[in-house]
Amino acid sequence: MSLTSAVKDELARVRVDKMSARKAEVAATLRFAGGLHIISGRIVVEAELDAGIAARRLRQTMQEVYGHHSDIIVVSGGGLRRGNRYVVRVVRDGESLARQTGLLDNRGRPVRGLPPQVVSAGVAEATAAWRGAFLAHGSLTEPGRSSSLEITCPGPEAALALVGAARRMNVAAKAREVRGIDRVVIRDGDAISAMLARMGAHDAVLVWEERRMRREVRGTANRLANFDDANLRRSARAAVAAGARVERAFEILGDDIPEHLVEAGRLRLAHKQASLEELGQLSDPPLTKDAVAGRIRRLLAMADKRAHEQGIPDTEATLTPEMLDL
């Protein structure tokens, strides 16, 4: 089961006792999943959901809260839409239900956003509205770089109303239009967890946080591995380049080199890709990496000075781009 399906299954089982919250959930579900249709001169209320349990919850709540009977029609998936769709339809007294739920105002005009009684209500009603909106058109992606909790909205007014409801719950959400479709998106991981917990998807929060932590640990391990690998490559390139310069230094200086610098240079030539610390361990007696680096540095400085005095190429003349890319 996908994360989205798991969240919807859990939300559809949340028990809500407060009547105003139940009304807010129904209003949001109908607003985000449905619409008003005129059939044979009568207003029909419809809501199309992708979870059977969510459709049954909506039907039961409308019956218990408003006393309206509804039918559920199963639409088989096909084409781009996979899986069955469940249409909850209220034919008889559809106009009455539309007015009761705030889909129509007192003058019989369609309400573009959420009903005023939901917009101006408290945290419980805001939470219920988000639960209904998610059951209608919500989705949750896996934790990661592009993780998000997203709700597709019927219009910009509904999106802004949902953002305001999230603000009342101290959760940051943003409304945006993507390819002509209005959406409300939460991208911050902590905010997603907070919203899921607010709506009542506590099991989903645990799953989300576990996958999120696993992803972060894996990402940290990969970054450290890449960092170490890059450091090793840089060290190897520097060692190869230093070996080439030492070889040129021996050519420039000949036998006129102090013995301790000769030993350091020979170690570098014998172990061209070894680190300075490894060269120090190979020395007899052992040296610190700073001591090895200092001796090689003095050897190269002596050779470069002699080359400049004689007007010949110095130790860096032997370096090539191919050598540095090893």
Side-chain angles (χ1 to χ4, degrees), residues 174-255:
K174 292 184 178 180
R176 59 184 58 186
E177 182 181 329
V178 181
R179 294 186 293 274
I181 300 175
D182 292 286
R183 305 174 190 274
V184 173
V185 183
I186 301 176
R187 294 201 179 278
D188 179 72
D190 293 334
I192 291 175
S193 295
M195 180 56 75
L196 290 174
R198 282 281 195 178
M199 291 190 296
H202 301 290
D203 291 342
V205 172
L206 296 178
V207 174
W208 162 267
E209 287 293 350
E210 180 185 357
R211 295 185 184 180
R212 179 186 174 195
M213 185 177 301
R214 191 184 309 153
R215 180 69 178 251
E216 290 178 352
V217 169
R218 188 184 302 120
T220 301
N222 289 339
R223 284 194 297 273
L224 291 176
N226 293 336
F227 178 77
D228 291 341
D229 187 53
N231 280 343
L232 289 174
R233 287 198 299 271
R234 283 194 293 270
S235 297
R237 286 197 296 267
V240 170
R245 293 187 66 190
V246 167
E247 191 170 1
R248 174 60 181 162
F250 281 166
E251 294 175 359
I252 296 172
L253 296 174
D255 297 331

Coordinates of all heavy atoms in Angstrom, one line a residue, residues 174-255:
K174 N 1.8 26.3 1.5 CA 1.9 27.3 0.5 C 0.9 26.9 -0.6 O 0.8 25.7 -1.0 CB 3.3 27.4 -0.1 CG 4.3 28.0 0.9 CD 5.7 28.1 0.2 CE 6.7 28.8 1.1 NZ 8.0 29.0 0.5
A175 N 0.2 27.9 -1.2 CA -0.6 27.7 -2.3 C 0.1 28.1 -3.6 O 0.8 29.1 -3.6 CB -1.9 28.6 -2.2
R176 N 0.0 27.2 -4.6 CA 0.7 27.5 -5.9 C -0.1 26.9 -7.0 O -0.9 26.0 -6.8 CB 2.1 27.0 -5.8 CG 2.2 25.5 -5.6 CD 3.6 25.0 -5.5 NE 4.3 25.7 -4.5 CZ 5.6 25.6 -4.2 NH1 6.4 24.8 -5.0 NH2 6.2 26.2 -3.2
E177 N 0.1 27.5 -8.2 CA -0.5 27.0 -9.4 C 0.5 26.3 -10.3 O 1.5 26.9 -10.6 CB -1.1 28.2 -10.2 CG -1.9 27.7 -11.4 CD -2.5 28.9 -12.2 OE1 -2.8 29.9 -11.5 OE2 -2.6 28.8 -13.4
V178 N 0.2 25.0 -10.6 CA 1.1 24.2 -11.4 C 0.4 23.7 -12.6 O -0.6 23.0 -12.5 CB 1.7 23.0 -10.6 CG1 2.6 22.2 -11.4 CG2 2.3 23.5 -9.3
R179 N 0.8 24.2 -13.8 CA 0.2 23.8 -15.0 C -1.3 24.0 -15.0 O -2.1 23.2 -15.4 CB 0.5 22.4 -15.4 CG 2.0 22.1 -15.7 CD 2.2 20.7 -16.1 NE 2.0 19.7 -15.1 CZ 2.9 19.4 -14.2 NH1 4.1 19.9 -14.2 NH2 2.6 18.5 -13.3
G180 N -1.7 25.2 -14.5 CA -3.1 25.6 -14.5 C -3.9 25.0 -13.4 O -5.2 25.2 -13.4
I181 N -3.3 24.2 -12.5 CA -4.0 23.5 -11.4 C -3.6 24.1 -10.1 O -2.4 24.2 -9.8 CB -3.8 22.0 -11.4 CG1 -4.3 21.4 -12.8 CG2 -4.5 21.3 -10.3 CD1 -4.0 20.0 -12.9
D182 N -4.5 24.5 -9.2 CA -4.2 25.1 -7.9 C -3.9 23.9 -6.9 O -4.6 23.0 -6.9 CB -5.4 25.9 -7.4 CG -5.5 27.2 -8.3 OD1 -4.7 28.1 -8.1 OD2 -6.5 27.2 -9.1
R183 N -2.8 24.1 -6.2 CA -2.4 23.1 -5.2 C -2.0 23.8 -3.9 O -1.6 24.9 -3.9 CB -1.3 22.3 -5.7 CG -1.5 21.6 -7.1 CD -0.3 20.9 -7.6 NE -0.4 20.5 -9.0 CZ -0.9 19.3 -9.3 NH1 -1.3 18.5 -8.4 NH2 -1.0 19.0 -10.6
V184 N -2.1 23.1 -2.8 CA -1.6 23.5 -1.5 C -0.5 22.4 -1.2 O -0.8 21.2 -1.2 CB -2.7 23.6 -0.4 CG1 -2.0 23.8 0.9 CG2 -3.6 24.7 -0.8
V185 N 0.7 22.9 -0.9 CA 1.8 22.0 -0.7 C 2.5 22.3 0.6 O 2.7 23.4 1.0 CB 2.8 22.2 -1.8 CG1 4.0 21.2 -1.7 CG2 2.2 22.0 -3.2
I186 N 2.9 21.2 1.3 CA 3.7 21.3 2.5 C 5.0 20.5 2.2 O 4.9 19.3 1.9 CB 3.0 20.7 3.8 CG1 1.7 21.5 4.1 CG2 4.0 20.8 5.0 CD1 0.9 20.9 5.2
R187 N 6.2 21.1 2.2 CA 7.4 20.4 1.9 C 8.3 20.1 3.0 O 9.1 19.2 3.0 CB 8.2 21.2 0.8 CG 7.4 21.3 -0.5 CD 8.4 21.6 -1.7 NE 7.7 21.7 -2.9 CZ 7.3 20.6 -3.7 NH1 7.6 19.4 -3.2 NH2 6.7 20.8 -4.8
D188 N 8.2 20.9 4.1 CA 9.1 20.7 5.2 C 8.8 19.4 5.9 O 7.6 19.1 6.2 CB 9.0 21.9 6.2 CG 9.9 21.7 7.4 OD1 11.1 21.8 7.3 OD2 9.3 21.4 8.5
G189 N 9.8 18.6 6.2 CA 9.5 17.3 6.8 C 8.8 17.4 8.2 O 7.9 16.6 8.4
D190 N 9.3 18.3 9.0 CA 8.6 18.4 10.3 C 7.2 18.9 10.2 O 6.3 18.5 10.9 CB 9.4 19.4 11.2 CG 10.8 18.9 11.6 OD1 10.9 17.7 11.6 OD2 11.7 19.7 11.8
A191 N 6.9 19.8 9.2 CA 5.6 20.3 9.0 C 4.7 19.2 8.5 O 3.5 19.1 8.9 CB 5.6 21.5 8.0
I192 N 5.2 18.3 7.7 CA 4.4 17.2 7.2 C 4.0 16.3 8.3 O 2.9 15.8 8.4 CB 5.2 16.4 6.1 CG1 5.3 17.3 4.8 CG2 4.5 15.1 5.8 CD1 6.2 16.6 3.7
S193 N 5.0 16.0 9.2 CA 4.7 15.1 10.3 C 3.6 15.8 11.2 O 2.7 15.1 11.7 CB 6.0 14.9 11.1 OG 6.9 14.1 10.4
A194 N 3.8 17.1 11.4 CA 2.8 17.8 12.3 C 1.4 17.7 11.7 O 0.4 17.5 12.4 CB 3.3 19.2 12.5
M195 N 1.3 17.9 10.4 CA 0.0 17.9 9.8 C -0.6 16.5 9.8 O -1.8 16.4 10.1 CB 0.1 18.4 8.3 CG -1.3 18.4 7.6 SD -2.5 19.4 8.4 CE -2.0 21.1 8.0
L196 N 0.2 15.5 9.5 CA -0.4 14.1 9.6 C -0.9 13.8 11.0 O -1.9 13.2 11.2 CB 0.7 13.1 9.2 CG 1.1 13.1 7.7 CD1 2.3 12.2 7.5 CD2 0.0 12.7 6.9
A197 N -0.1 14.2 12.0 CA -0.5 14.0 13.4 C -1.8 14.8 13.7 O -2.7 14.2 14.4 CB 0.6 14.4 14.4
R198 N -1.9 16.0 13.3 CA -3.1 16.8 13.5 C -4.3 16.2 12.9 O -5.4 16.1 13.6 CB -2.9 18.2 12.9 CG -2.0 19.1 13.7 CD -2.8 19.7 14.9 NE -2.1 20.9 15.4 CZ -2.7 21.6 16.4 NH1 -3.8 21.3 16.9 NH2 -2.0 22.6 16.9
M199 N -4.2 15.7 11.7 CA -5.3 15.1 11.0 C -5.8 13.7 11.6 O -6.9 13.3 11.5 CB -5.1 14.9 9.5 CG -4.9 16.2 8.8 SD -4.9 15.9 7.0 CE -3.3 15.0 6.8
G200 N -4.8 13.1 12.4 CA -5.2 11.8 13.0 C -4.5 10.6 12.4 O -4.8 9.5 12.9
A201 N -3.5 10.8 11.5 CA -2.8 9.7 10.9 C -1.6 9.4 11.7 O -0.4 9.5 11.2 CB -2.5 10.0 9.5
H202 N -1.7 8.9 12.9 CA -0.6 8.7 13.8 C 0.3 7.5 13.4 O 1.5 7.6 13.5 CB -1.1 8.5 15.3 CG -1.9 9.6 15.8 ND1 -1.3 10.9 16.1 CD2 -3.2 9.8 16.1 CE1 -2.3 11.7 16.5 NE2 -3.4 11.0 16.5
D203 N -0.3 6.5 12.9 CA 0.5 5.3 12.4 C 1.3 5.8 11.2 O 2.5 5.4 11.0 CB -0.4 4.2 12.0 CG -1.0 3.5 13.2 OD1 -0.5 3.7 14.4 OD2 -2.1 2.8 13.1
A204 N 0.7 6.6 10.3 CA 1.4 7.1 9.1 C 2.6 8.0 9.5 O 3.6 8.0 8.8 CB 0.4 7.8 8.2
V205 N 2.4 8.7 10.6 CA 3.5 9.6 11.1 C 4.7 8.7 11.4 O 5.9 9.0 11.1 CB 3.1 10.4 12.3 CG1 4.3 11.1 12.9 CG2 2.1 11.4 11.9
L206 N 4.5 7.6 12.1 CA 5.6 6.7 12.5 C 6.3 6.1 11.3 O 7.5 6.1 11.2 CB 5.1 5.6 13.4 CG 4.4 6.0 14.7 CD1 3.9 4.8 15.5 CD2 5.5 6.7 15.6
V207 N 5.5 5.7 10.3 CA 6.1 5.2 9.1 C 6.9 6.2 8.3 O 8.0 6.0 7.9 CB 5.0 4.6 8.2 CG1 5.6 4.2 6.8 CG2 4.3 3.4 8.8
W208 N 6.3 7.4 8.2 CA 6.9 8.6 7.6 C 8.3 8.9 8.2 O 9.3 9.1 7.6 CB 6.0 9.8 7.6 CG 6.7 11.1 7.3 CD1 7.2 11.9 8.2 CD2 6.9 11.6 6.0 NE1 7.7 13.0 7.6 CE2 7.6 12.9 6.2 CE3 6.7 11.2 4.7 CZ2 8.0 13.7 5.2 CZ3 7.1 12.1 3.7 CH2 7.7 13.3 3.9
E209 N 8.3 9.0 9.6 CA 9.5 9.4 10.3 C 10.6 8.3 10.2 O 11.7 8.6 10.1 CB 9.2 9.7 11.8 CG 8.4 11.0 12.0 CD 9.2 12.2 11.7 OE1 10.5 12.1 11.5 OE2 8.7 13.3 11.7
E210 N 10.1 7.1 10.2 CA 11.1 6.0 10.1 C 11.8 6.0 8.7 O 13.0 5.9 8.6 CB 10.4 4.6 10.2 CG 11.4 3.4 10.1 CD 10.6 2.1 10.2 OE1 9.4 2.1 10.4 OE2 11.3 1.1 10.0
R211 N 11.0 6.2 7.6 CA 11.6 6.3 6.3 C 12.4 7.5 6.1 O 13.4 7.5 5.4 CB 10.4 6.2 5.2 CG 9.7 4.9 5.2 CD 8.7 4.8 4.1 NE 7.9 3.6 4.2 CZ 6.9 3.3 3.3 NH1 6.6 4.1 2.3 NH2 6.3 2.2 3.4
R212 N 11.9 8.6 6.7 CA 12.7 9.9 6.6 C 14.0 9.7 7.3 O 15.0 10.2 6.7 CB 11.8 11.0 7.3 CG 12.5 12.3 7.3 CD 11.6 13.3 8.1 NE 12.3 14.6 8.3 CZ 11.9 15.5 9.1 NH1 10.9 15.2 10.0 NH2 12.5 16.6 9.2
M213 N 14.1 9.1 8.5 CA 15.3 9.0 9.2 C 16.2 8.0 8.4 O 17.5 8.3 8.3 CB 15.0 8.4 10.6 CG 16.3 8.3 11.5 SD 15.9 7.7 13.1 CE 14.7 8.9 13.7
R214 N 15.7 6.9 7.9 CA 16.5 6.0 7.1 C 17.1 6.7 5.9 O 18.3 6.5 5.5 CB 15.6 4.8 6.6 CG 16.4 3.7 6.0 CD 15.5 2.6 5.5 NE 14.5 2.3 6.6 CZ 13.3 1.8 6.3 NH1 12.9 1.7 5.0 NH2 12.5 1.4 7.3
R215 N 16.3 7.6 5.2 CA 16.8 8.3 4.1 C 17.9 9.3 4.4 O 18.9 9.4 3.7 CB 15.6 9.1 3.4 CG 15.9 9.9 2.2 CD 16.3 9.0 1.0 NE 16.6 9.8 -0.2 CZ 15.8 9.9 -1.2 NH1 14.6 9.2 -1.2 NH2 16.1 10.6 -2.3
E216 N 17.7 10.0 5.6 CA 18.7 10.9 6.0 C 20.0 10.3 6.4 O 21.1 10.8 6.1 CB 18.2 11.8 7.2 CG 17.1 12.7 6.8 CD 16.5 13.5 8.0 OE1 16.9 13.1 9.1 OE2 15.7 14.4 7.8
V217 N 19.9 9.1 7.1 CA 21.1 8.4 7.5 C 21.9 7.9 6.2 O 23.1 8.0 6.1 CB 20.8 7.2 8.4 CG1 22.0 6.3 8.6 CG2 20.3 7.7 9.7
R218 N 21.1 7.4 5.2 CA 21.7 6.9 4.0 C 22.4 8.0 3.3 O 23.5 7.9 2.7 CB 20.7 6.2 3.1 CG 21.3 5.5 1.9 CD 20.2 5.0 1.0 NE 19.4 4.0 1.7 CZ 18.1 4.1 1.9 NH1 17.4 5.2 1.4 NH2 17.4 3.2 2.5
G219 N 21.7 9.2 3.2 CA 22.2 10.4 2.5 C 23.5 10.8 3.2 O 24.5 11.2 2.5
T220 N 23.5 10.9 4.6 CA 24.7 11.3 5.3 C 25.9 10.3 5.0 O 27.0 10.8 4.8 CB 24.4 11.3 6.8 OG1 23.4 12.3 7.0 CG2 25.7 11.8 7.5
A221 N 25.6 9.0 5.0 CA 26.6 8.0 4.7 C 27.2 8.2 3.3 O 28.4 8.1 3.1 CB 26.1 6.6 4.9
N222 N 26.3 8.5 2.4 CA 26.8 8.7 1.0 C 27.6 9.9 0.9 O 28.7 9.9 0.1 CB 25.6 8.7 0.0 CG 24.9 7.4 -0.1 OD1 25.5 6.4 0.1 ND2 23.6 7.4 -0.5
R223 N 27.2 11.0 1.5 CA 28.0 12.2 1.5 C 29.4 12.0 2.1 O 30.4 12.5 1.5 CB 27.3 13.3 2.2 CG 26.1 13.9 1.4 CD 25.6 15.2 2.0 NE 25.1 15.0 3.4 CZ 23.9 14.7 3.7 NH1 23.0 14.5 2.7 NH2 23.5 14.6 5.0
L224 N 29.5 11.3 3.2 CA 30.8 11.1 3.8 C 31.6 10.2 2.9 O 32.8 10.4 2.8 CB 30.6 10.4 5.2 CG 29.9 11.3 6.3 CD1 29.7 10.5 7.6 CD2 30.8 12.5 6.6
A225 N 31.0 9.2 2.3 CA 31.8 8.3 1.4 C 32.3 9.1 0.2 O 33.5 8.9 -0.2 CB 30.9 7.1 1.0
N226 N 31.4 9.9 -0.3 CA 31.9 10.7 -1.5 C 33.0 11.7 -1.1 O 33.9 11.9 -1.8 CB 30.7 11.5 -2.1 CG 29.7 10.6 -2.7 OD1 30.0 9.4 -3.1 ND2 28.5 11.0 -2.8
F227 N 32.8 12.3 0.1 CA 33.9 13.2 0.6 C 35.2 12.5 0.8 O 36.2 13.0 0.4 CB 33.4 13.8 2.0 CG 34.4 14.7 2.6 CD1 34.5 16.0 2.1 CD2 35.1 14.3 3.7 CE1 35.4 16.9 2.7 CE2 36.1 15.2 4.3 CZ 36.2 16.5 3.8
D228 N 35.2 11.3 1.4 CA 36.4 10.6 1.6 C 37.0 10.2 0.3 O 38.2 10.2 0.1 CB 36.1 9.3 2.5 CG 35.8 9.7 3.9 OD1 36.1 10.8 4.3 OD2 35.2 8.8 4.6
D229 N 36.2 9.7 -0.6 CA 36.7 9.3 -2.0 C 37.3 10.5 -2.7 O 38.4 10.4 -3.3 CB 35.5 8.8 -2.8 CG 36.0 8.2 -4.1 OD1 36.9 7.3 -4.1 OD2 35.5 8.6 -5.1
A230 N 36.7 11.7 -2.6 CA 37.3 12.9 -3.2 C 38.6 13.2 -2.6 O 39.6 13.6 -3.3 CB 36.3 14.0 -3.1
N231 N 38.7 13.1 -1.3 CA 39.9 13.4 -0.6 C 41.0 12.5 -1.0 O 42.2 12.9 -1.2 CB 39.7 13.4 0.9 CG 39.1 14.6 1.5 OD1 39.1 15.6 0.8 ND2 38.6 14.5 2.7
L232 N 40.7 11.2 -1.1 CA 41.7 10.2 -1.6 C 42.2 10.5 -3.0 O 43.4 10.4 -3.3 CB 41.1 8.8 -1.5 CG 40.9 8.2 -0.1 CD1 40.1 6.9 -0.2 CD2 42.2 8.1 0.6
R233 N 41.3 10.9 -3.9 CA 41.7 11.2 -5.2 C 42.6 12.4 -5.3 O 43.6 12.4 -6.0 CB 40.4 11.4 -6.1 CG 39.7 10.2 -6.5 CD 38.8 10.4 -7.6 NE 37.8 11.5 -7.4 CZ 36.6 11.2 -6.8 NH1 36.2 10.0 -6.5 NH2 35.7 12.2 -6.6
R234 N 42.2 13.4 -4.5 CA 43.1 14.6 -4.4 C 44.5 14.3 -3.9 O 45.5 14.8 -4.4 CB 42.4 15.7 -3.6 CG 41.3 16.4 -4.3 CD 40.9 17.7 -3.6 NE 40.3 17.4 -2.3 CZ 39.0 17.2 -2.1 NH1 38.2 17.3 -3.1 NH2 38.6 17.0 -0.9
S235 N 44.5 13.5 -2.8 CA 45.8 13.1 -2.2 C 46.6 12.3 -3.2 O 47.9 12.5 -3.3 CB 45.6 12.3 -1.0 OG 44.9 13.0 0.0
A236 N 46.0 11.4 -4.0 CA 46.7 10.6 -4.9 C 47.3 11.5 -6.0 O 48.5 11.4 -6.4 CB 45.8 9.6 -5.5
R237 N 46.5 12.5 -6.5 CA 47.0 13.4 -7.6 C 48.1 14.2 -7.1 O 49.1 14.4 -7.8 CB 45.8 14.3 -8.1 CG 44.8 13.6 -8.9 CD 44.0 14.6 -9.7 NE 43.2 15.4 -8.8 CZ 41.9 15.1 -8.5 NH1 41.4 14.1 -8.9 NH2 41.3 16.0 -7.7
A238 N 48.0 14.7 -5.8 CA 49.1 15.5 -5.3 C 50.4 14.7 -5.1 O 51.5 15.2 -5.4 CB 48.7 16.1 -3.9
A239 N 50.2 13.4 -4.7 CA 51.4 12.6 -4.5 C 52.1 12.3 -5.8 O 53.4 12.3 -5.9 CB 51.0 11.3 -3.8
V240 N 51.3 12.0 -6.9 CA 51.9 11.8 -8.2 C 52.7 13.0 -8.7 O 53.8 12.9 -9.2 CB 50.9 11.3 -9.2 CG1 51.4 11.2 -10.6 CG2 50.3 9.9 -8.8
A241 N 52.0 14.2 -8.6 CA 52.7 15.4 -9.0 C 53.9 15.7 -8.2 O 55.0 16.1 -8.8 CB 51.7 16.6 -8.8
A242 N 53.9 15.4 -6.9 CA 55.1 15.6 -6.1 C 56.2 14.7 -6.5 O 57.4 15.1 -6.5 CB 54.8 15.4 -4.6
G243 N 55.9 13.4 -6.9 CA 56.9 12.5 -7.3 C 57.6 13.0 -8.6 O 58.8 12.8 -8.7
A244 N 56.8 13.5 -9.5 CA 57.4 14.0 -10.8 C 58.3 15.2 -10.5 O 59.4 15.3 -11.1 CB 56.3 14.4 -11.7
R245 N 57.9 16.0 -9.6 CA 58.8 17.2 -9.2 C 60.1 16.8 -8.5 O 61.2 17.3 -8.8 CB 58.0 18.2 -8.4 CG 56.9 18.9 -9.0 CD 56.3 19.9 -8.1 NE 57.2 21.0 -7.9 CZ 57.0 22.0 -7.0 NH1 55.9 22.0 -6.3 NH2 57.9 22.9 -6.9
V246 N 60.0 15.7 -7.7 CA 61.2 15.2 -7.0 C 62.1 14.6 -8.0 O 63.4 14.8 -7.9 CB 60.7 14.2 -5.9 CG1 62.0 13.4 -5.4 CG2 60.1 14.9 -4.7
E247 N 61.6 13.9 -8.9 CA 62.4 13.3 -10.0 C 63.2 14.4 -10.8 O 64.4 14.3 -11.0 CB 61.6 12.5 -10.9 CG 62.4 11.6 -11.9 CD 61.5 10.6 -12.6 OE1 60.3 10.6 -12.4 OE2 62.1 9.8 -13.4
R248 N 62.5 15.5 -11.1 CA 63.2 16.6 -11.8 C 64.2 17.3 -10.9 O 65.3 17.7 -11.3 CB 62.1 17.6 -12.2 CG 62.6 18.9 -12.8 CD 63.4 18.6 -14.1 NE 64.0 19.9 -14.6 CZ 65.0 20.0 -15.5 NH1 65.6 18.8 -15.9 NH2 65.4 21.1 -15.9
A249 N 63.9 17.3 -9.6 CA 64.8 18.0 -8.6 C 66.1 17.2 -8.6 O 67.2 17.8 -8.5 CB 64.2 18.0 -7.2
F250 N 66.1 15.9 -8.6 CA 67.3 15.1 -8.6 C 68.1 15.3 -9.8 O 69.3 15.4 -9.8 CB 66.9 13.6 -8.5 CG 66.6 13.1 -7.1 CD1 65.9 11.9 -6.9 CD2 66.9 13.9 -6.0 CE1 65.6 11.5 -5.6 CE2 66.5 13.5 -4.7 CZ 65.9 12.3 -4.5
E251 N 67.4 15.5 -11.0 CA 68.1 15.8 -12.2 C 68.8 17.2 -12.2 O 69.9 17.3 -12.7 CB 67.1 15.8 -13.4 CG 66.5 14.5 -13.7 CD 65.5 14.6 -14.8 OE1 65.3 15.7 -15.3 OE2 64.9 13.5 -15.2
I252 N 68.2 18.2 -11.5 CA 68.7 19.5 -11.5 C 69.9 19.5 -10.5 O 71.0 20.1 -10.8 CB 67.7 20.5 -11.0 CG1 66.6 20.6 -12.1 CG2 68.3 21.9 -10.8 CD1 65.4 21.4 -11.7
L253 N 69.7 18.9 -9.3 CA 70.7 19.1 -8.2 C 71.9 18.0 -8.3 O 73.0 18.3 -7.8 CB 70.0 18.9 -6.9 CG 69.0 20.0 -6.5 CD1 68.3 19.7 -5.2 CD2 69.7 21.4 -6.4
G254 N 71.6 16.9 -9.0 CA 72.7 15.9 -9.1 C 73.0 15.3 -7.7 O 72.1 14.9 -6.9
D255 N 74.3 15.3 -7.4 CA 74.8 14.8 -6.1 C 74.8 15.8 -5.0 O 75.1 15.5 -3.8 CB 76.1 14.1 -6.3 CG 76.1 13.0 -7.2 OD1 75.0 12.3 -7.3 OD2 77.1 12.7 -7.9

